[in-house]
Amino acid sequence: MASIAPTSETKCLLKLIVNERAVSVAAPPAQRLSRVLREQLGLTGTKVGCDAGDCGACTVLLDGEAVCACLVAVGQVENHAITTIEGLKSRPPLFDRLQAAFLRHGAAQCGACTPGMLISATALLERNASPSEADVMDALGGVLCRCTGYRKIIDAVLDANSECAGSSRPAAGASVGQRLVRLDGKHKVDGTEIYGADEMPAGALGLRVIRCPYDRARFRFGNLEKFVAAHTGVEAILTSKDVPGEDCYGVIPRFADQPVFAHEEARHRGEAVAAIVGEADVIEDLDPANFPVCWEELPAMRTIDEALAPGAPRIHPHRPDNVLTRGRVVRGNVEQALAVADAVVEGEFETGFVEHACIEPEAGFARRVGDQIEIQACTQSPYMDRADIAKLLGIPAEAVRVIPTAVGGGFGTKLDLSVQPFLALAAWRLQRPVRMVYSRIESMTCTTKRHPARMRCRAGASKDGKLLALDFAADFNTGAYSSWGPTVAARVPVHASGPYSVPHYRALTRAIHTNIVPAGAFRGFGVPQMAIAQEQLYDDLAIRLGIDPLEFRIVNALDNQTPTVTGQIMGEGVGIRACFEALRSKWIAARAEAVEFNARASGPIRHGVGVAGMWYGCGNTSLPNPSTVRIGLKRDGRIALHQGAVDIGQGSNTIVAQICADALCAPVDCFDLISGDTSITPDCGKTSASRQTFVTGKAAHMAGKELRRSILRLAGSHEDAAIEFGGGTLTIREGGKQSSFSLRDLPLDQYGYVLTAEQTFDPPTSALDENGQGRPYAVYGFGAHMAEIAIDVELGTVRVLKIVAAHDVGRAINPTLIEGQIEGGVAQGLGMALMEEFFPGKGENLHDYLIPTAGDIPPVESILIEDPSWIGPFGAKGIGEQAVIPTAPAILNAIHHATGVRMRRIPATPDRIREAILAHVSSDTGAARG
Ligand code: FES
Ligand code: FES
């Protein structure tokens, strides 16, 4: 079915049967069914991710068949039965069991795809009660998920018929280590979770941003007043003149350089120059082509080479050579070490832009409440948003309230402001609520991407396989504004050694401005790109030395006493060797099977097995990184847990509560979660850099301990006493004695609690010196992936057969949620290795930009290693970013194992693989002739 453009055609009264109820709606017959369901009937469980039939988030049942509601014209379905997720509750027991299975298996992370998945699964199970795995993959194939890697969703659907007794909550002090069902899971599986686009305040105005259509252009507005006067319902046009405060924002204050609206010249395609605000339906139907602006296209620099060319114009006048920033870590004497090495290898590697492709496009609303502005939108960093909005409006930070909605996938891109400045400016000035939702195209055009990287490296080792030196240099295309470019440039040199001992080391990086949409944070801050180069290079080195690639890594793996390339000695908690060793028996068997398969192969299919390792520092690099958690004992005996860490699907709402519960020695069921609102939760920093389990978890651990001490002090009891919470009474058991006291009449403190504990944790790090020496992170996570692949050497296509992922997580607070992170990371790593590349200005949709579907994902075996960190809560380390890093290099090393071809331009798409194979064959032939 073709997609439908918004229309202003005449409304008709249409009769629909929605969730077994007859309803009438007034809408143009060509209106999208998804829009009618959401905006007229309030059934916001049906999500919209693309409005083009690509993502499946809008899936509903139409006469029992799963269809994309965004592709169905409402006029076509008069008197047909439509079922949304809200209506599935009338289908017990199937739906109840399916929901329970999704929760039990951890199949919903951010939850944005979950309604579409549940609807598709229901359609399948109603026609086939015992589907095979292939049936399930087929049924879910039209719904995209960016978080889970699909395996847990498939398992949940296959398990939906089992009569499970339901999970019992662990006893006091026994939550950590349990596969606790996500505490915030219910809303994700019943369609009541509220995302950025789901709140529609009565009378809210709409807002449309006018964006630059060129990579670089000067512009001049026509008569804006006349435009407003000519369009009934348009209230205002906002431009840079309407920013009352300092018109310059950015996630790293020292590098802030981005205006809300460009002034006279736009630096990248999609940059905002103005916004039209007015009645929502008027804004919806406006044709932006009629907006009075004249463009003068200017020469633009899209590539690193163009930006670095002698005489290239500066994109920012104060940044010579278009270099935003540099990173540097140097140790020992690289040249000397390479000169004496028995084997030296070198290579150049290049990776492209990668799009986050969150299923939920950016959305939210803002309203003015007296002298305060409230912004309710999807974000990973409410306090950072608050600071920038205050600066833009020229008001104190306390006058800005940020209330994060549920986040339908973030992966780093929702660390940056998107809709918030436009909404805040409009609502502040017009004193009415203002709402906006990015279209998929708008989201892909103007939000941040993974940095493309160009990397050159040389590595040397002695003949016994000991790494001697690595020389690494990388340039990152950081686009027109700084965003997280400085973080990428700083983090990569610290990590470019990989999790190995490298005594002589030089890693130099640059973030280069171009006239491209800004590159920002994307799961790993540059480390996944770097690992593609470094892990392939080390494979070459092992092969050159005739050493098994896994054993080469084990020989060189960091240990507790070996200094890292920044001179840091961890002392404990370095679990990388254990990760590699956990793969050894599987590696030996899989490599032998692949070799045997290839020896027998008569057709074009070859098998290969590759391995890669990773390490990743948890939290900010050598910068303060605090989280503050407050907990309060209520008069009813329950515990209020104020934690501002935004759960973007990774599970911090559950994990932080598990940690706090065990520190307090209370059942997790006693907790009331109060999350993410700058007016009521203390600052837990941003959700990024794998820091929430470690940093916020630690603050929650400390707060739990403190509250426990306060309670026991109040009761006059010893620190070993047991506390029983509940029913407005505390019961203390100690040395065979028991005493109780009522909380009901006790006075309340300033926070409204009987007792409050608030604790801040900031990981101990140190600044790096001019050679990058110091202690950049307090804790690192470690991991190793093994990839088994089948490759068609004639077509260049790769199928990943299996991934084994071993991760040292310190302490597995919730194994189900950790496996979910690993499987989701594997899926993104697979996409990065084989299919995902974003070309600015082309294919800004989920039809042309391919992300893995359920059919692309192999079985993933997760192995959890627990080598406790010295300082994490119960020894825990982060896992979010870690999980994505080793997948791509493991797959690329497997391609080399199967074919002898080293992929240097990533993603390794079939055309590139085929080209590399042909070049390899012809160089072999040439060598043979020579
Ligand atoms: S919103 Fe309908 S398929 Fe994406
Ligand atoms: S859980 Fe599927 S998109 Fe987030």
Side-chain angles (χ1 to χ4, degrees), residues 4 28 41 76 191 200 214 315 321 382 385 404 412 454 480 539 546 561 582 584 589 638 643 722 728 733 783 812 822:
I4 300 160
L41 301 177
Q76 293 175 323
M200 302 169 198
Y214 303 105
I315 291 177
D321 305 321
D385 294 359
R454 198 168 63 190
D539 237 41
Q561 300 308 326
R584 189 183 262 139
R638 296 187 61 75
Q643 68 94 9
R733 295 180 205 284
I822 293 173

PDB file of all heavy atoms in Angstrom, residues 4 28 41 76 191 200 214 315 321 382 385 404 412 454 480 539 546 561 582 584 589 638 643 722 728 733 783 812 822:
ATOM      1  N   ILE A   4       0.643   7.691   2.611  1.00  0.00           N
ATOM      2  CA  ILE A   4      -0.375   8.715   2.441  1.00  0.00           C
ATOM      3  C   ILE A   4       0.159  10.038   2.955  1.00  0.00           C
ATOM      4  O   ILE A   4       0.656  10.107   4.073  1.00  0.00           O
ATOM      5  CB  ILE A   4      -1.625   8.328   3.255  1.00  0.00           C
ATOM      6  CG1 ILE A   4      -2.145   6.990   2.743  1.00  0.00           C
ATOM      7  CG2 ILE A   4      -2.691   9.383   3.172  1.00  0.00           C
ATOM      8  CD1 ILE A   4      -3.031   6.300   3.735  1.00  0.00           C
ATOM      9  N   PRO A  28     -10.875  13.141   7.599  1.00  0.00           N
ATOM     10  CA  PRO A  28     -10.805  12.924   6.155  1.00  0.00           C
ATOM     11  C   PRO A  28     -10.627  11.423   5.903  1.00  0.00           C
ATOM     12  O   PRO A  28      -9.841  10.785   6.607  1.00  0.00           O
ATOM     13  CB  PRO A  28      -9.558  13.696   5.734  1.00  0.00           C
ATOM     14  CG  PRO A  28      -9.247  14.602   6.862  1.00  0.00           C
ATOM     15  CD  PRO A  28      -9.764  13.963   8.094  1.00  0.00           C
ATOM     16  N   LEU A  41      -8.844   9.096  19.274  1.00  0.00           N
ATOM     17  CA  LEU A  41      -9.382   8.122  20.223  1.00  0.00           C
ATOM     18  C   LEU A  41      -8.497   7.944  21.447  1.00  0.00           C
ATOM     19  O   LEU A  41      -8.835   7.184  22.357  1.00  0.00           O
ATOM     20  CB  LEU A  41      -9.595   6.770  19.514  1.00  0.00           C
ATOM     21  CG  LEU A  41     -10.565   6.835  18.309  1.00  0.00           C
ATOM     22  CD1 LEU A  41     -10.666   5.484  17.616  1.00  0.00           C
ATOM     23  CD2 LEU A  41     -11.952   7.286  18.774  1.00  0.00           C
ATOM     24  N   GLN A  76     -11.000   3.418   4.633  1.00  0.00           N
ATOM     25  CA  GLN A  76     -11.042   2.045   4.096  1.00  0.00           C
ATOM     26  C   GLN A  76     -11.523   1.028   5.116  1.00  0.00           C
ATOM     27  O   GLN A  76     -11.757  -0.121   4.763  1.00  0.00           O
ATOM     28  CB  GLN A  76      -9.630   1.611   3.645  1.00  0.00           C
ATOM     29  CG  GLN A  76      -9.085   2.356   2.459  1.00  0.00           C
ATOM     30  CD  GLN A  76      -7.645   1.935   2.164  1.00  0.00           C
ATOM     31  OE1 GLN A  76      -6.866   1.693   3.078  1.00  0.00           O
ATOM     32  NE2 GLN A  76      -7.320   1.847   0.894  1.00  0.00           N
ATOM     33  N   GLY A 191       0.641  -1.066  26.891  1.00  0.00           N
ATOM     34  CA  GLY A 191       0.386   0.071  26.006  1.00  0.00           C
ATOM     35  C   GLY A 191       0.169   1.385  26.724  1.00  0.00           C
ATOM     36  O   GLY A 191      -0.203   2.376  26.099  1.00  0.00           O
ATOM     37  N   MET A 200      -0.669  14.870  24.982  1.00  0.00           N
ATOM     38  CA  MET A 200      -1.202  15.906  24.083  1.00  0.00           C
ATOM     39  C   MET A 200      -2.037  16.886  24.907  1.00  0.00           C
ATOM     40  O   MET A 200      -3.256  16.746  25.003  1.00  0.00           O
ATOM     41  CB  MET A 200      -2.070  15.254  23.004  1.00  0.00           C
ATOM     42  CG  MET A 200      -1.309  14.219  22.189  1.00  0.00           C
ATOM     43  SD  MET A 200      -2.391  13.244  21.144  1.00  0.00           S
ATOM     44  CE  MET A 200      -1.328  11.842  20.794  1.00  0.00           C
ATOM     45  N   TYR A 214      20.403  22.797   2.177  1.00  0.00           N
ATOM     46  CA  TYR A 214      21.744  22.641   1.579  1.00  0.00           C
ATOM     47  C   TYR A 214      22.769  22.319   2.666  1.00  0.00           C
ATOM     48  O   TYR A 214      22.552  22.590   3.845  1.00  0.00           O
ATOM     49  CB  TYR A 214      22.174  23.934   0.872  1.00  0.00           C
ATOM     50  CG  TYR A 214      21.197  24.367  -0.201  1.00  0.00           C
ATOM     51  CD1 TYR A 214      20.328  25.434   0.026  1.00  0.00           C
ATOM     52  CD2 TYR A 214      21.139  23.700  -1.416  1.00  0.00           C
ATOM     53  CE1 TYR A 214      19.428  25.832  -0.948  1.00  0.00           C
ATOM     54  CE2 TYR A 214      20.236  24.080  -2.399  1.00  0.00           C
ATOM     55  CZ  TYR A 214      19.376  25.146  -2.158  1.00  0.00           C
ATOM     56  OH  TYR A 214      18.467  25.519  -3.104  1.00  0.00           O
ATOM     57  N   ILE A 315      34.958  26.577   9.568  1.00  0.00           N
ATOM     58  CA  ILE A 315      33.527  26.472   9.870  1.00  0.00           C
ATOM     59  C   ILE A 315      33.208  27.273  11.132  1.00  0.00           C
ATOM     60  O   ILE A 315      32.169  27.911  11.229  1.00  0.00           O
ATOM     61  CB  ILE A 315      33.123  24.985   9.988  1.00  0.00           C
ATOM     62  CG1 ILE A 315      33.207  24.365   8.583  1.00  0.00           C
ATOM     63  CG2 ILE A 315      31.720  24.831  10.578  1.00  0.00           C
ATOM     64  CD1 ILE A 315      32.925  22.889   8.498  1.00  0.00           C
ATOM     65  N   ASP A 321      42.086  25.292  11.197  1.00  0.00           N
ATOM     66  CA  ASP A 321      42.187  24.034  10.432  1.00  0.00           C
ATOM     67  C   ASP A 321      40.947  23.145  10.589  1.00  0.00           C
ATOM     68  O   ASP A 321      40.989  21.957  10.295  1.00  0.00           O
ATOM     69  CB  ASP A 321      43.428  23.223  10.847  1.00  0.00           C
ATOM     70  CG  ASP A 321      44.690  24.041  10.728  1.00  0.00           C
ATOM     71  OD1 ASP A 321      44.795  24.813   9.751  1.00  0.00           O
ATOM     72  OD2 ASP A 321      45.561  23.935  11.617  1.00  0.00           O
ATOM     73  N   PRO A 382      18.367  14.911  31.754  1.00  0.00           N
ATOM     74  CA  PRO A 382      17.479  16.015  32.149  1.00  0.00           C
ATOM     75  C   PRO A 382      18.195  17.213  32.757  1.00  0.00           C
ATOM     76  O   PRO A 382      17.812  18.360  32.492  1.00  0.00           O
ATOM     77  CB  PRO A 382      16.536  15.353  33.160  1.00  0.00           C
ATOM     78  CG  PRO A 382      17.121  14.024  33.509  1.00  0.00           C
ATOM     79  CD  PRO A 382      18.006  13.635  32.371  1.00  0.00           C
ATOM     80  N   ASP A 385      19.930  19.212  30.058  1.00  0.00           N
ATOM     81  CA  ASP A 385      18.905  19.954  29.302  1.00  0.00           C
ATOM     82  C   ASP A 385      18.505  21.201  30.076  1.00  0.00           C
ATOM     83  O   ASP A 385      18.347  22.293  29.520  1.00  0.00           O
ATOM     84  CB  ASP A 385      17.639  19.105  29.103  1.00  0.00           C
ATOM     85  CG  ASP A 385      17.865  17.888  28.212  1.00  0.00           C
ATOM     86  OD1 ASP A 385      18.992  17.703  27.727  1.00  0.00           O
ATOM     87  OD2 ASP A 385      16.896  17.119  28.016  1.00  0.00           O
ATOM     88  N   PRO A 404      11.500  13.985  32.105  1.00  0.00           N
ATOM     89  CA  PRO A 404      11.699  13.059  30.986  1.00  0.00           C
ATOM     90  C   PRO A 404      10.496  12.141  30.828  1.00  0.00           C
ATOM     91  O   PRO A 404       9.959  11.629  31.814  1.00  0.00           O
ATOM     92  CB  PRO A 404      12.931  12.250  31.400  1.00  0.00           C
ATOM     93  CG  PRO A 404      13.532  12.983  32.540  1.00  0.00           C
ATOM     94  CD  PRO A 404      12.432  13.751  33.196  1.00  0.00           C
ATOM     95  N   GLY A 412      22.511   7.283  22.954  1.00  0.00           N
ATOM     96  CA  GLY A 412      23.426   8.430  22.911  1.00  0.00           C
ATOM     97  C   GLY A 412      22.830   9.638  22.221  1.00  0.00           C
ATOM     98  O   GLY A 412      23.137  10.773  22.575  1.00  0.00           O
ATOM     99  N   ARG A 454      38.491   7.588  10.266  1.00  0.00           N
ATOM    100  CA  ARG A 454      39.554   7.126   9.370  1.00  0.00           C
ATOM    101  C   ARG A 454      40.769   6.858  10.251  1.00  0.00           C
ATOM    102  O   ARG A 454      41.247   7.762  10.939  1.00  0.00           O
ATOM    103  CB  ARG A 454      39.859   8.190   8.332  1.00  0.00           C
ATOM    104  CG  ARG A 454      40.605   7.629   7.155  1.00  0.00           C
ATOM    105  CD  ARG A 454      40.632   8.601   6.041  1.00  0.00           C
ATOM    106  NE  ARG A 454      41.345   9.800   6.452  1.00  0.00           N
ATOM    107  CZ  ARG A 454      41.370  10.924   5.752  1.00  0.00           C
ATOM    108  NH1 ARG A 454      40.689  11.010   4.634  1.00  0.00           N
ATOM    109  NH2 ARG A 454      42.054  11.964   6.160  1.00  0.00           N
ATOM    110  N   ALA A 480      29.184  19.767  11.886  1.00  0.00           N
ATOM    111  CA  ALA A 480      29.235  21.224  11.961  1.00  0.00           C
ATOM    112  C   ALA A 480      29.340  21.768  13.380  1.00  0.00           C
ATOM    113  O   ALA A 480      29.771  22.904  13.575  1.00  0.00           O
ATOM    114  CB  ALA A 480      28.007  21.802  11.268  1.00  0.00           C
ATOM    115  N   ASP A 539      44.776  -9.299  14.881  1.00  0.00           N
ATOM    116  CA  ASP A 539      44.595 -10.590  14.220  1.00  0.00           C
ATOM    117  C   ASP A 539      45.688 -10.792  13.169  1.00  0.00           C
ATOM    118  O   ASP A 539      46.273 -11.866  13.065  1.00  0.00           O
ATOM    119  CB  ASP A 539      43.218 -10.635  13.533  1.00  0.00           C
ATOM    120  CG  ASP A 539      42.371 -11.797  14.016  1.00  0.00           C
ATOM    121  OD1 ASP A 539      42.385 -12.053  15.237  1.00  0.00           O
ATOM    122  OD2 ASP A 539      41.704 -12.446  13.179  1.00  0.00           O
ATOM    123  N   GLY A 546      52.183 -16.644  13.264  1.00  0.00           N
ATOM    124  CA  GLY A 546      51.794 -18.064  13.300  1.00  0.00           C
ATOM    125  C   GLY A 546      51.219 -18.470  14.647  1.00  0.00           C
ATOM    126  O   GLY A 546      51.352 -19.625  15.076  1.00  0.00           O
ATOM    127  N   GLN A 561      47.889  -6.304  37.709  1.00  0.00           N
ATOM    128  CA  GLN A 561      49.112  -5.568  38.060  1.00  0.00           C
ATOM    129  C   GLN A 561      49.792  -4.919  36.862  1.00  0.00           C
ATOM    130  O   GLN A 561      50.784  -4.225  37.034  1.00  0.00           O
ATOM    131  CB  GLN A 561      50.110  -6.524  38.765  1.00  0.00           C
ATOM    132  CG  GLN A 561      49.571  -7.145  40.044  1.00  0.00           C
ATOM    133  CD  GLN A 561      49.024  -6.098  41.026  1.00  0.00           C
ATOM    134  OE1 GLN A 561      49.532  -4.981  41.118  1.00  0.00           O
ATOM    135  NE2 GLN A 561      47.962  -6.457  41.748  1.00  0.00           N
ATOM    136  N   ALA A 582      37.010 -18.212  28.680  1.00  0.00           N
ATOM    137  CA  ALA A 582      35.664 -18.796  28.616  1.00  0.00           C
ATOM    138  C   ALA A 582      35.288 -19.179  27.191  1.00  0.00           C
ATOM    139  O   ALA A 582      34.395 -20.006  26.969  1.00  0.00           O
ATOM    140  CB  ALA A 582      34.649 -17.807  29.180  1.00  0.00           C
ATOM    141  N   ARG A 584      37.558 -20.436  24.995  1.00  0.00           N
ATOM    142  CA  ARG A 584      38.591 -21.281  24.401  1.00  0.00           C
ATOM    143  C   ARG A 584      38.054 -22.595  23.824  1.00  0.00           C
ATOM    144  O   ARG A 584      38.306 -22.930  22.659  1.00  0.00           O
ATOM    145  CB  ARG A 584      39.689 -21.551  25.423  1.00  0.00           C
ATOM    146  CG  ARG A 584      40.888 -22.231  24.804  1.00  0.00           C
ATOM    147  CD  ARG A 584      41.929 -22.566  25.845  1.00  0.00           C
ATOM    148  NE  ARG A 584      43.009 -21.600  25.917  1.00  0.00           N
ATOM    149  CZ  ARG A 584      43.553 -21.175  27.056  1.00  0.00           C
ATOM    150  NH1 ARG A 584      43.058 -21.590  28.210  1.00  0.00           N
ATOM    151  NH2 ARG A 584      44.565 -20.353  27.038  1.00  0.00           N
ATOM    152  N   ALA A 589      36.709 -25.788  18.918  1.00  0.00           N
ATOM    153  CA  ALA A 589      35.762 -26.650  18.189  1.00  0.00           C
ATOM    154  C   ALA A 589      35.241 -25.943  16.941  1.00  0.00           C
ATOM    155  O   ALA A 589      35.198 -26.530  15.849  1.00  0.00           O
ATOM    156  CB  ALA A 589      34.597 -27.011  19.113  1.00  0.00           C
ATOM    157  N   ARG A 638       6.759   2.331  53.638  1.00  0.00           N
ATOM    158  CA  ARG A 638       7.357   2.114  52.329  1.00  0.00           C
ATOM    159  C   ARG A 638       8.542   3.060  52.142  1.00  0.00           C
ATOM    160  O   ARG A 638       8.711   4.038  52.876  1.00  0.00           O
ATOM    161  CB  ARG A 638       6.315   2.311  51.215  1.00  0.00           C
ATOM    162  CG  ARG A 638       5.189   1.261  51.296  1.00  0.00           C
ATOM    163  CD  ARG A 638       4.261   1.349  50.114  1.00  0.00           C
ATOM    164  NE  ARG A 638       4.915   1.117  48.841  1.00  0.00           N
ATOM    165  CZ  ARG A 638       5.291  -0.081  48.393  1.00  0.00           C
ATOM    166  NH1 ARG A 638       5.051  -1.162  49.119  1.00  0.00           N
ATOM    167  NH2 ARG A 638       5.887  -0.200  47.231  1.00  0.00           N
ATOM    168  N   GLN A 643      15.507   8.572  42.195  1.00  0.00           N
ATOM    169  CA  GLN A 643      16.727   8.442  41.389  1.00  0.00           C
ATOM    170  C   GLN A 643      16.445   9.006  40.013  1.00  0.00           C
ATOM    171  O   GLN A 643      15.509   8.632  39.345  1.00  0.00           O
ATOM    172  CB  GLN A 643      17.229   6.995  41.382  1.00  0.00           C
ATOM    173  CG  GLN A 643      16.400   5.976  40.666  1.00  0.00           C
ATOM    174  CD  GLN A 643      16.855   5.765  39.246  1.00  0.00           C
ATOM    175  OE1 GLN A 643      17.901   6.269  38.854  1.00  0.00           O
ATOM    176  NE2 GLN A 643      16.063   5.037  38.482  1.00  0.00           N
ATOM    177  N   ALA A 722      17.952  -6.977  62.169  1.00  0.00           N
ATOM    178  CA  ALA A 722      17.124  -7.081  60.960  1.00  0.00           C
ATOM    179  C   ALA A 722      15.939  -6.144  61.090  1.00  0.00           C
ATOM    180  O   ALA A 722      15.370  -5.992  62.178  1.00  0.00           O
ATOM    181  CB  ALA A 722      16.641  -8.515  60.786  1.00  0.00           C
ATOM    182  N   GLY A 728       3.070   0.595  58.084  1.00  0.00           N
ATOM    183  CA  GLY A 728       3.226   1.729  58.977  1.00  0.00           C
ATOM    184  C   GLY A 728       3.990   1.406  60.248  1.00  0.00           C
ATOM    185  O   GLY A 728       4.053   2.221  61.164  1.00  0.00           O
ATOM    186  N   ARG A 733      14.456  -6.998  64.686  1.00  0.00           N
ATOM    187  CA  ARG A 733      14.812  -8.285  65.318  1.00  0.00           C
ATOM    188  C   ARG A 733      16.309  -8.277  65.587  1.00  0.00           C
ATOM    189  O   ARG A 733      17.102  -8.005  64.689  1.00  0.00           O
ATOM    190  CB  ARG A 733      14.483  -9.447  64.380  1.00  0.00           C
ATOM    191  CG  ARG A 733      13.015  -9.606  64.109  1.00  0.00           C
ATOM    192  CD  ARG A 733      12.796 -10.793  63.171  1.00  0.00           C
ATOM    193  NE  ARG A 733      11.570 -10.642  62.439  1.00  0.00           N
ATOM    194  CZ  ARG A 733      10.355 -10.833  62.938  1.00  0.00           C
ATOM    195  NH1 ARG A 733      10.220 -11.225  64.200  1.00  0.00           N
ATOM    196  NH2 ARG A 733       9.276 -10.664  62.216  1.00  0.00           N
ATOM    197  N   GLY A 783      35.283  -7.560  27.877  1.00  0.00           N
ATOM    198  CA  GLY A 783      34.477  -8.568  27.188  1.00  0.00           C
ATOM    199  C   GLY A 783      35.188  -9.111  25.967  1.00  0.00           C
ATOM    200  O   GLY A 783      36.175  -8.541  25.464  1.00  0.00           O
ATOM    201  N   ALA A 812      26.745  -9.535  38.423  1.00  0.00           N
ATOM    202  CA  ALA A 812      25.537  -9.497  37.587  1.00  0.00           C
ATOM    203  C   ALA A 812      24.352  -9.166  38.489  1.00  0.00           C
ATOM    204  O   ALA A 812      23.753 -10.046  39.103  1.00  0.00           O
ATOM    205  CB  ALA A 812      25.340 -10.829  36.885  1.00  0.00           C
ATOM    206  N   ILE A 822      23.531  -7.291  26.268  1.00  0.00           N
ATOM    207  CA  ILE A 822      24.504  -7.969  25.400  1.00  0.00           C
ATOM    208  C   ILE A 822      23.864  -8.278  24.044  1.00  0.00           C
ATOM    209  O   ILE A 822      24.435  -7.997  22.980  1.00  0.00           O
ATOM    210  CB  ILE A 822      25.022  -9.253  26.082  1.00  0.00           C
ATOM    211  CG1 ILE A 822      25.861  -8.884  27.315  1.00  0.00           C
ATOM    212  CG2 ILE A 822      25.835 -10.095  25.105  1.00  0.00           C
ATOM    213  CD1 ILE A 822      26.280 -10.063  28.176  1.00  0.00           C
TER     214      ILE A 822
END
